[in-house]
Amino acid sequence: MDPLSSIGYGRPHQDGAVLDLFTTWAHRTPDAPALIDGGRTHTYAELDRLADTVADALRGRVGPGGLVGVCLGHGAALAAVTLAVAKLGAVHLPLGPRPGERRLQAVAEQLRPVCLVGEPAVLPQAGERLALDLPGTVEATLTPGAQVSVPRGTHYAVLTSGSTGTPKAVAVTEPALGALLQWYRELTGLGPGERHSLLIGVAFDPHVMELWAGLTSGAALVVAPEAVRWDSGALADWWREAGITVTVLPTPLGEPVLNRPWPAGLALRHLTVGGDRLRRAPGPDVTATVHNAYGPAEATVTTTVHTMAPGGGHGEGAPPIGLPIPGAVVLVTDEDGRPVPRGVAGELRIGGTGLAAGYLDPELTARRFVSAPEGVDGTDRVYRSGDRAVMRPDGVLEFHGRLDDQVKVSGVRIEPAEVEAAFERDERVRRAVVAAEPAPTGGVRLLAFVQPAVGAVDPGELLETVRPWLPEQAVPSAVRLVGRYPLDANGKVDRAALLADARVPAPAAEGDTPVERTVLKLCRELIGRADLGPEDNFLASGGNSLAAARLLEALESEYGLRLRASLLLRQPDLRAVARLVEERLAPATA
């Protein structure tokens, strides 16, 4: 193979255990803190005992290869159930604490897990219920019947967006996860005495790395309070108070952190950012080493990394996605799968140790996991990522977006077809088309263009109807009703024309006070809706946790006020948000 072809190899990887490493630490340092959640600390021995209790309760009902859906948030119960599933040789499927009733129903029907674990109110009514001896009220629902076939050796499965309207489940083996964790521990120096945040959304695959990295290193995992997860100012304060030394952030939260002056007095040594394109490098005031990580779920969380040492000097603009991690093989190819010369854009294909076993759908696996080209060493198959990339002469990869319709919203891959299918389940909808456009604050937002099957339809009601079917990031910012769809020269829906029509602003009511007018101006810019008025609700109008974080930053910049995201999101409308600001300003004015 031409040495100037776009092929890159990570250095040889080291095999790493997963559950066995946790067990080693539980025996070696039983009294060391394993998980800290507010004022409660759980030692390695305590977590091990909790996990054994859960495993004993499920043994005989859940066996090797059994798919266990876990509907829990961050905490000791989640860690214990994750460990218990591994002890049983079963397959962990993290779904998050609020997967949505209909989305959970779709998972149950499509994947047929043998067991679902969560709070009683979240779990479906059908099936045998079993109380688990864990912190909080946690139950397991056992569902008889044959589950979907799981590849041999699968350690965990994670959902990604599917173009058929139902989520795809990626199966990852223990050797792939073990090699990833071995690399990550070496990269960050994670070990006893360190504190690693537990913050990433549970249904998002980097959470698996975050959780197991702590449990296999002898370090302590520290649960991030809900209030800091989308508030960059509060997050930095929490890092300091909790003594966090190593952390992982989704890009939509990492960028605001890097945009702020770097806080003094942090113990933080390593910050890994991933999930979406990072648009800026760390400044000279950043005292932590920042790693820009790239990798799809189909390649076990991380495939390449670009490391930026403290002190700045990393150039302007978006950092590259870097070089392959140990055991990874990357190649940039043309449409026929042949490696292109370095400097030429093409599709990024991934192979090597971290490659997933495939999907829990053999036909889809055959389409996306294909044979490696001749002359490529270290892997016999590769995953077609659909990402457009360029390999520089020095082997460093640059990310250049997507080749297909799939988009990333707040770091999560979304298939517009899945969102469209969620709308079209509603009998009031004849057809739905979802299009993506740049959000005013950076990143991407989704708009849904719905053709009603009946007369008058409330767009807000349609939006609420689809929420239970979708992850938060896949819920469109707004719904537009259309009588017909514009078509392009090929007879396909012209999404560009739909988006252009949607940008025509509608008249909107203005605020009664200067603060109201400022809040309205900021929200219109952040959500991208010129028609917002004082009586509109932030979340119902298309706002999300990322937009809320940006609004908090803007209000702090404008008025010098630090508001909490939870308080802001509880306000019934934008007028109430403005009143909250005015009330905080009143003592200072007096």
Side-chain angles (χ1 to χ4, degrees):
M1 187 70 70
D2 185 344
L4 296 181
S5 293
S6 295
I7 305 174
Y9 300 95
R11 60 180 169 82
H13 78 282
Q14 293 184 26
D15 291 330
V18 181
L19 178 62
D20 287 350
L21 269 181
F22 167 79
T23 303
T24 297
W25 287 112
H27 290 149
R28 185 186 300 173
T29 58
D31 298 326
L35 186 139
I36 301 168
D37 188 357
R40 179 74 168 91
T41 296
H42 298 267
T43 66
Y44 272 84
E46 287 172 336
L47 271 191
D48 197 29
R49 283 195 295 272
L50 284 174
D52 283 340
T53 299
V54 175
D56 290 342
L58 297 179
R59 189 169 281 110
R61 297 174 168 90
V62 176
L67 193 60
V68 180
V70 180
C71 308
L72 292 170
H74 300 100
L78 173 67
V81 171
T82 302
L83 289 164
V85 173
K87 286 172 181 277
L88 294 168
V91 178
H92 174 217
L93 175 65
L95 298 171
R98 294 177 293 276
E101 179 182 353
R102 291 180 176 176
R103 186 172 177 82
L104 187 58
Q105 179 185 346
V107 168
E109 292 174 354
Q110 296 292 326
L111 304 181
R112 301 188 298 279
V114 297
C115 179
L116 292 169
V117 178
E119 294 182 358
V122 174
L123 300 178
Q125 296 301 313
E128 177 189 354
R129 286 290 184 100
L130 183 68
L132 299 178
D133 187 11
L134 288 169
T137 306
V138 180
E139 293 185 354
T141 294
L142 302 163
T143 52
Q147 70 170 39
V148 67
S149 177
V150 175
R152 183 182 298 275
T154 299
H155 185 273
Y156 74 89
V158 66
L159 299 183
T160 67
S161 188
S163 60
T164 61
T166 56
K168 300 177 292 188
V170 182
V172 177
T173 64
E174 181 171 359
L177 177 60
L180 171 82
L181 296 174
Q182 178 71 23
W183 161 78
Y184 183 72
R185 289 190 299 266
E186 290 180 358
L187 179 78
T188 60
L190 193 62
E194 300 282 334
R195 290 190 168 195
H196 195 300
S197 63
L198 189 59
L199 178 146
I200 299 289
V202 173
F204 191 23
D205 65 302
H207 156 76
V208 178
M209 181 180 80
E210 180 184 53
L211 178 68
W212 279 110
L215 296 177
T216 59
S217 66
L221 289 166
V222 187
V223 176
E226 190 68 33
V228 312
R229 289 185 182 141
W230 290 103
D231 184 337
S232 57
L235 175 66
D237 291 342
W238 175 72
W239 279 343
R240 185 185 300 106
E241 294 162 5
I244 301 298
T245 58
V246 182
T247 192
V248 180
L249 292 182
T251 308
L253 183 54
E255 281 189 336
V257 168
L258 294 176
N259 284 331
R260 301 173 65 93
W262 192 252
L266 296 184
L268 190 69
R269 298 185 300 103
H270 288 273
L271 164 61
T272 301
V273 180
D276 208 340
R277 181 186 298 179
L278 183 63
R279 290 168 175 79
R280 63 151 296 162
D285 60 335
V286 176
T287 57
T289 299
V290 178
H291 309 280
N292 184 31
Y294 162 86
E298 291 84 350
T300 315
V301 184
T302 302
T303 300
T304 67
V305 68
H306 180 68
T307 294
M308 293 167 280
H314 304 296
E316 299 294 329
I321 57 174
L323 295 168
I325 70 170
V329 179
V330 295
L331 49 154
V332 181
T333 72
D334 60 20
E335 292 180 356
D336 296 321
R338 295 187 297 262
V340 299
R342 296 193 178 192
V344 176
E347 181 182 17
L348 181 56
R349 301 191 183 203
I350 302 166
T353 307
L355 201 60
Y359 299 106
L360 303 187
D361 177 342
E363 292 183 6
L364 183 58
T365 299
R367 290 200 300 271
R368 302 299 294 181
F369 292 80
V370 299
S371 297
E374 290 185 11
V376 175
D377 299 324
T379 190
D380 58 358
R381 62 192 187 110
V382 291
Y383 168 66
R384 299 189 59 180
S385 72
D387 288 331
R388 181 180 174 86
V390 170
M391 183 175 288
R392 301 187 325 205
D394 60 1
V396 171
L397 284 167
E398 295 178 348
F399 179 78
H400 284 217
R402 291 291 300 173
L403 290 168
D404 53 22
D405 290 336
Q406 193 179 77
V407 296
K408 272 196 173 183
V409 181
S410 297
V412 177
R413 287 187 291 157
I414 304 296
E415 292 275 8
E418 180 181 4
V419 186
E420 292 165 357
F423 278 99
E424 290 166 1
R425 287 185 174 99
D426 193 314
E427 61 183 11
R428 297 170 295 176
V429 174
R430 177 175 289 113
R431 185 180 177 186
V433 172
V434 172
E437 68 173 4
T441 56
V444 172
R445 69 170 187 158
L446 299 179
L447 296 178
F449 299 88
V450 173
Q451 187 178 41
V454 295
V457 178
D458 184 340
E461 288 183 6
L462 292 178
L463 205 55
E464 290 306 310
T465 300
V466 301
R467 283 187 192 276
W469 288 102
L470 300 169
E472 178 194 5
Q473 297 85 352
V475 178
S477 297
V479 175
R480 304 279 191 265
L481 301 182
V482 297
R484 61 180 182 82
Y485 294 105
L487 304 179
D488 61 18
N490 296 320
K492 296 181 178 179
V493 174
D494 190 338
R495 284 175 164 79
L498 282 171
L499 290 171
D501 290 343
R503 294 187 191 107
V504 177
E510 297 300 328
D512 295 332
T513 68
V515 173
E516 260 189 39
R517 289 190 285 273
T518 298
V519 168
L520 282 172
K521 175 179 178 293
L522 293 172
C523 290
R524 288 168 183 169
E525 292 172 352
L526 290 166
I527 299 176
R529 287 188 53 183
D531 60 336
L532 286 182
E535 296 181 359
D536 287 316
N537 176 271
F538 182 80
L539 290 174
S541 300
N544 55 26
S545 47
L546 175 58
R550 299 286 172 85
L551 178 58
L552 290 171
E553 291 178 356
L555 291 173
E556 182 179 358
S557 175
E558 184 78 23
Y559 296 112
L561 293 176
R562 286 286 299 278
L563 300 177
R564 294 294 187 190
S566 56
L567 182 60
L568 182 145
L569 295 177
R570 284 201 299 268
Q571 304 308 308
D573 53 34
L574 299 182
R575 177 167 281 132
V577 172
R579 191 177 304 117
L580 182 65
V581 173
E582 289 168 343
E583 290 171 354
R584 296 296 178 90
L585 287 174
T589 305

